[in-house]
Amino acid sequence: RFFPTAVWGACSDGFGSNIDDGINLFMGDGCKDDLELPGRLDGRAYSIVDAENIDAQGRGMIGWYYPDEWDAFLENDVKREDLQESIVAPRAGRISFLTLTNHFYSRAEPLPQGKGMYPVLFSIPDVIGFDLYPLQVWCRPAFGDVFDAQRELHGASGGKPTFQWIEVAPMEHPCKKHPTLNPTPATVRAETWLAVGGGADAVGYFPNRWVDPIGDEITRTNREIKALAPALLAAEATAGSDTDAVRVSARTLNGALYVIAVNTTQTTVQAKISVEGIGGRAATLLGGGTAIAADEQG
């Protein structure tokens, strides 16, 4: 099964390095006309184009995206019919994407106009995503919210696939004045797996250029995601942790259990992880080959 790993608005001169780092979906071309994006990629990766360029054709073109952070530009009481001119009719073999701000999330400040637009927006695209940048926008290492917000969107989407953008470089926000808040390979890895653990069916990396050490981590993480894609997109199993510092989720596929556990702090934490159905099994760490014992209580 296909698990998109995306970038937003990359220019053609960055396609090669992005693809080398495991990017398989390009959302728009940041420097040229989207209409030619599929041709410029020439089948090396999938692409989606602005809804205004829906007639673009070419290998790997799979759909379109709606206005970025559309929620920030709509009134609280907007109705679907108010947006009808902007809604693209379904197209065979094409899917639509929408990136929201994080203000739908219960622990994020609401937009000045409120949260009334979200049910309407949730109903429009095929795939719903959002951006929540704890370091670069919230100016604090609120990594647990990456998981929790994704979990909320997953629950509110009505069964639609969801995705999340991961911060990978300093941005044009006040937080960039504090070097301790710059993304690192460790934060990129943690945020990516927190999003996946929270139920993301795709992830994107923003901005679309990063330093080499972070690129190395993106490459490693994307390789793992690709290898595990069938399991990551499989049915969820009940899982939890005895400490809020560790977020946990699980999937089940072909009789095997896959557990995602992420420490949301910057210190070593001990946690007891409970997974329904794991009692008595031996668990193996991804990539490490180390077996971990599980007691009969799961």
Side-chain angles (χ1 to χ4, degrees):
R1 298 176 68 182
F2 176 52
F3 193 109
T5 50
V7 290
W8 173 270
C11 295
S12 301
D13 64 353
F15 290 173
S17 61
N18 285 160
I19 291 170
D20 288 345
D21 287 342
I23 299 305
N24 59 26
L25 176 63
F26 288 81
M27 294 191 177
D29 187 317
C31 300
K32 296 183 179 180
D33 190 340
D34 274 6
L35 276 169
E36 304 299 325
L37 175 60
R40 285 193 288 275
L41 284 168
D42 192 28
R44 293 177 293 165
Y46 294 101
S47 61
I48 62 172
V49 299
D50 189 291
E52 295 179 356
N53 292 321
I54 185 58
D55 292 324
Q57 299 293 326
R59 291 176 61 199
M61 196 285 211
I62 62 172
W64 68 94
Y65 58 86
Y66 285 106
D68 189 38
E69 298 187 335
W70 205 359
D71 50 329
F73 303 98
L74 299 177
E75 294 302 320
N76 187 59
D77 59 354
V78 68
K79 296 179 174 57
R80 187 182 173 100
E81 50 264 34
D82 299 330
L83 306 176
Q84 202 59 46
E85 290 186 1
S86 300
I87 299 175
V88 179
R91 302 286 184 99
R94 299 285 187 263
I95 55 177
S96 58
F97 293 73
L98 172 62
T99 296
L100 303 170
T101 70
N102 61 70
H103 296 287
F104 71 90
Y105 175 43
S106 61
R107 291 204 290 272
E109 289 292 328
L111 290 164
Q113 64 270 40
K115 297 189 177 187
M117 72 291 292
Y118 288 113
V120 174
L121 290 176
F122 290 164
S123 75
I124 294 173
D126 298 305
V127 186
I128 309 167
F130 70 101
D131 47 43
L132 190 161
Y133 306 129
L135 297 174
Q136 287 296 294
V137 175
W138 285 9
C139 297
R140 62 182 189 272
F143 299 122
D145 289 295
V146 174
F147 179 97
D148 296 343
Q150 181 67 57
R151 181 66 84 193
E152 278 195 17
L153 183 63
H154 182 69
S157 70
K160 292 182 177 182
T162 59
F163 68 97
Q164 186 173 167
W165 292 97
I166 308 301
E167 56 189 344
V168 298
M171 303 178 195
E172 294 301 317
H173 295 280
C175 310
K176 73 173 184 177
K177 298 177 181 178
H178 305 283
T180 58
L181 295 171
N182 287 349
T184 67
T187 67
V188 169
R189 181 171 180 80
E191 288 186 37
T192 302
W193 283 108
L194 284 164
V196 174
D201 301 286
V203 293
Y205 301 101
F206 187 85
N208 54 48
R209 293 179 184 266
W210 41 75
V211 296
D212 287 345
I214 286 180
D216 293 341
E217 183 53 62
I218 289 173
T219 302
R220 176 171 76 127
T221 300
N222 285 345
R223 187 180 299 120
E224 293 171 347
I225 288 173
K226 182 178 180 180
L228 292 170
L232 298 178
L233 298 171
E236 289 199 24
T238 302
S241 167
D242 67 347
T243 170
D244 287 341
V246 178
R247 297 296 197 274
V248 178
S249 70
R251 311 287 189 274
T252 178
L253 179 67
N254 297 330
L257 280 168
Y258 296 81
V259 182
I260 303 168
V262 185
N263 180 3
T264 63
T265 76
Q266 296 173 318
T267 59
T268 301
V269 173
Q270 282 192 332
K272 181 178 181 179
I273 295 170
S274 300
V275 183
E276 185 176 347
I278 203 172
R281 300 193 189 192
T284 303
L285 290 176
L286 173 65
T290 303
I292 302 173
D295 61 33
E296 291 297 335
Q297 297 181 8

